[in-house]
Amino acid sequence: MRVIAGTAKGVRLQTLEGEATRPTTERVKEALMSAVQFDIEGRQVLDLFAGSGQLGVEALSRGAASCVFVDRSSEAAAIIRKNAQATGVFGQSRVLCTDALDFLAHTKDRFDLVFLDPPYAADLLLPALQAVEPRLNTGAVVMAESDGEVVLPDRIGKLTLQKVYRYGRIFLRKYVEVSE
C-alpha cells in the first residue's frame, strides 16, 4: 500500500499484521480520493477507525491542514505514527488511541472532511455518522465505507447523502453537511 499523490507520493505505508483490520483497497482509496479531491486542501480532517491511517495520511499528503487519527488499538496507533513520520506529515497529525464514539462524545474539535471506515461486522457506521454530525463545520464532507449489507438513511441531521459509489461488495457514501 502506497501514498497515491501529493508530497508523499509513492511512500510505502505499513499495515497491521493479521485479520484485526481491513485496509481500504487501492482501487477504493483512489475512488474515494477522487470523490473528495476538491475538499482536501487546507481542511481539518478526521480519520475515524483509522487502522493504518492511510486515508488521513493521503489527505495530508494532498494538502490537508491537519488530521486527527482515532483508533482504539494501540498497535494501530503505533503504525499510524510510523506512517505519519515516514511520509513527513507527523507535524500535522494527532494520533489518539481511544474508542471512536467516546472521542466524538467528548471532543470539542470540528472537522471539514471525515473518513469513516469501521469494522464491517461491528455495526458502527450509523452510530458514528450520528455522533460525527454535530462535530462538522459548514460544508463538511463525510465519506463512509461499508459492505453491501448496511442500510443507511439519506439524511442524518444536517448531513445529506450526495452520492453512492459501489466497488463489488464495498460501498462508499458521500455525505455533505448542508446548513438549514
Side-chain angles (χ1 to χ4, degrees), residues 12 18 20 27 30 48 53 57 67 74 83 89 120 139 151-152 170:
R12 183 174 292 282
R27 178 176 170 225
E30 285 182 34
L48 210 56
V57 166
C67 184
S74 59
N83 285 336
V89 300
Y120 289 167
V151 176
L152 295 171
I170 298 172

Side-chain angles (χ1 to χ4, degrees), residues 48-49 101 104 116-120 122-134 142 144-146 150-157 159 173 175:
L48 210 56
F49 310 101
L101 297 180
L104 290 170
L116 295 179
D117 185 13
Y120 289 167
D123 202 23
L124 291 170
L125 195 51
L126 181 57
L129 281 163
Q130 292 167 329
V132 80
E133 188 266 338
V142 177
E145 181 178 334
S146 68
V150 174
V151 176
L152 295 171
D154 290 346
R155 187 141 175 119
I156 299 168
L159 281 175
R173 290 174 179 86
Y175 283 90

